[in-house]
């Protein structure tokens, strides 16, 4: 997940597998789609102690009603867990390179009673997805971001979609154009607080 700038001096390390900062947990509460979520975040993981602004904008969109959902760059799991809580007919797979993030997301899924429908991992994932939801890690750089999206977008089922939030000043409009050029129809479906919400459909 990503917002306009790092916070509290640690978020710049969130996209590494094993951040060097000491690991300190911080728990907070947020309400998404009418559900109160108590979540534990931590140092070296994006958006410690808060729901970041971009993800908040993303979660203003309607959640999927059912299906298999990928939380891409899951962090401590807020997007995938909010979807699972709001939509009992969904199953969620969250992926992240950050081992701390995956550990926290797994702990949060158990605490919320959602572990039977939510799996978080740094490893390989099989199968296709009905939807992909993401506040993608823009700060890994354009080339790495493009490679990440081209790795996962082909896993969308026919008729599926990816829903992503990207800061306008971090390249949301160029990213939209690039996705279209790659054969993935992409529309802007939301805009708030300096962020764009993009909806991408499978190629072909």
């Amino acid at each position: 997940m990503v917002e306009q700038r790092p916070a509290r001096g640690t978020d710049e390390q969130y996209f590494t597998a094993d951040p060097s900062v000491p690991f300190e947990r911080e728990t907070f509460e947020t309400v998404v789609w009418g559900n109160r979520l108590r979540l534990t975040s931590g140092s070296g993981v994006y958006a410690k102690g808060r729901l970041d602004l971009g993800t908040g904008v993303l979660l203003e969109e309607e959640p999927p009603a059912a299906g298999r959902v990928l939380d891409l760059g899951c962090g401590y799991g807020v997007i995938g867990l909010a979807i699972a809580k709001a939509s009992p007919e969904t199953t969620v797979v969250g992926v992240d390179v950050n081992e701390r993030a995956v550990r926290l997301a797994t702990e949060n899924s158990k605490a919320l009673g959602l572990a039977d429908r939510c799996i978080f991992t740094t490893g390989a994932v099989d199968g296709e997805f009905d939807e992909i939801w993401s506040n993608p890690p823009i700060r890994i750089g354009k080339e790495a971001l493009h490679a990440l999206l081209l790795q996962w977008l082909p896993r969308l089922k026919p008729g599926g979609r990816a829903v992503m939030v990207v800061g306008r000043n971090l390249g949301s409009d160029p990213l939209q154009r690039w996705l279209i050029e790659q054969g993935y129809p992409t529309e802007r479906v939301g805009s708030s607080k300096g962020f764009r919400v993009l909806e991408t459909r499978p190629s072909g």
Side-chain angles (χ1 to χ4, degrees):
M1 295 184 288
V2 65
E3 67 178 351
Q4 294 184 26
R5 58 184 179 275
R8 305 188 185 185
T10 61
D11 284 351
E12 66 272 15
Q13 301 187 53
Y14 72 91
F15 48 79
T16 61
D18 186 16
S20 61
V21 295
F23 189 17
E24 297 179 356
R25 288 173 168 80
E26 183 170 342
T27 300
F28 71 101
E29 291 189 354
T30 189
V31 177
V32 183
W33 295 314
N35 296 310
R36 183 170 297 277
L37 304 176
R38 183 172 176 83
L39 299 162
T40 300
S41 61
S43 50
V45 175
Y46 183 70
K48 178 186 175 184
R50 71 199 194 282
L51 178 68
D52 66 278
L53 187 59
T55 297
V57 170
L58 177 67
L59 295 176
E60 291 174 3
E61 299 299 310
E62 289 295 317
R68 189 173 190 239
V69 179
L70 175 69
D71 180 355
L72 179 58
C74 63
Y76 56 80
V78 59
I79 295 173
L81 293 172
I83 290 171
K85 187 71 172 179
S87 303
E89 298 302 315
T90 59
T91 58
V92 172
V93 177
V95 295
D96 204 298
V97 299
N98 187 319
E99 295 172 357
R100 291 184 188 180
V102 167
R103 188 188 321 165
L104 288 167
T106 300
E107 291 175 2
N108 286 328
S109 70
K110 293 176 181 177
L112 291 168
L114 298 170
D116 60 329
R117 293 190 289 115
C118 298
I119 297 173
F120 297 94
T121 181
T122 60
V125 175
D126 295 328
E128 296 181 317
F129 296 92
D130 296 282
E131 299 201 7
I132 296 172
W133 283 62
S134 183
N135 185 345
I138 300 297
R139 296 185 187 279
I140 64 176
K142 183 187 296 186
E143 184 175 339
L145 177 65
H146 288 177
L148 180 69
L149 294 177
L150 291 178
Q151 175 186 354
W152 291 103
L153 288 175
R155 305 276 289 275
L156 280 170
K157 294 180 181 179
R161 65 172 186 156
V163 187
M164 298 179 285
V165 64
V166 182
R168 183 175 59 189
N169 68 333
L170 292 176
S172 60
D173 295 345
L175 179 61
Q176 180 182 0
R177 291 193 294 270
W178 177 81
L179 287 165
I180 293 170
E181 290 169 357
Q182 304 309 304
Y184 290 97
T186 301
E187 298 181 358
R188 185 194 308 168
V189 295
S191 182
S192 179
K193 303 171 185 176
F195 290 87
R196 312 284 204 209
V197 179
L198 305 178
E199 182 183 80
T200 299
R201 296 289 178 176
S203 59

